[in-house]
Amino acid sequence: QGYKVQGILDNNSLLDGNELEGLIVSTPSSLFRNKNTDMSDMVVIVCVERHHIYNEIAQQLTDFGLEKDQILHKVFDSEVDEG
């Protein structure tokens, strides 16, 4: 079973309102401050490179009122060669 992607969330306010691949980019704050936003069946899929960044984003989304089971994630941990 898939998901119907309806938009892209990004904290970069310069992207707010732009379109990418036919999807509107919104900041989380602009989406969730809209009182008409129905969050009851919303699912947010977070794709990030580092797990600690996912934790920050998940906390932000729960602060806006999403439940933890509404937040899915894929972390693309890349190894950093510090050597």
Side-chain angles (χ1 to χ4, degrees), residues 1-48:
Q1 170 174 314
Y3 296 96
K4 180 181 177 188
V5 177
Q6 295 186 330
I8 298 171
L9 293 177
D10 195 302
N11 280 316
N12 184 341
S13 61
L14 296 175
L15 299 176
D16 195 27
N18 288 324
E19 189 174 307
L20 178 65
E21 299 293 327
L23 299 169
I24 298 296
V25 179
S26 302
T27 60
S29 59
S30 71
L31 177 68
F32 293 117
R33 78 170 162 242
N34 181 346
K35 300 299 181 198
N36 294 325
T37 300
D38 179 13
M39 294 190 306
S40 63
D41 62 352
M42 182 183 294
V43 173
V44 175
I45 303 169
V46 179
C47 299
V48 293

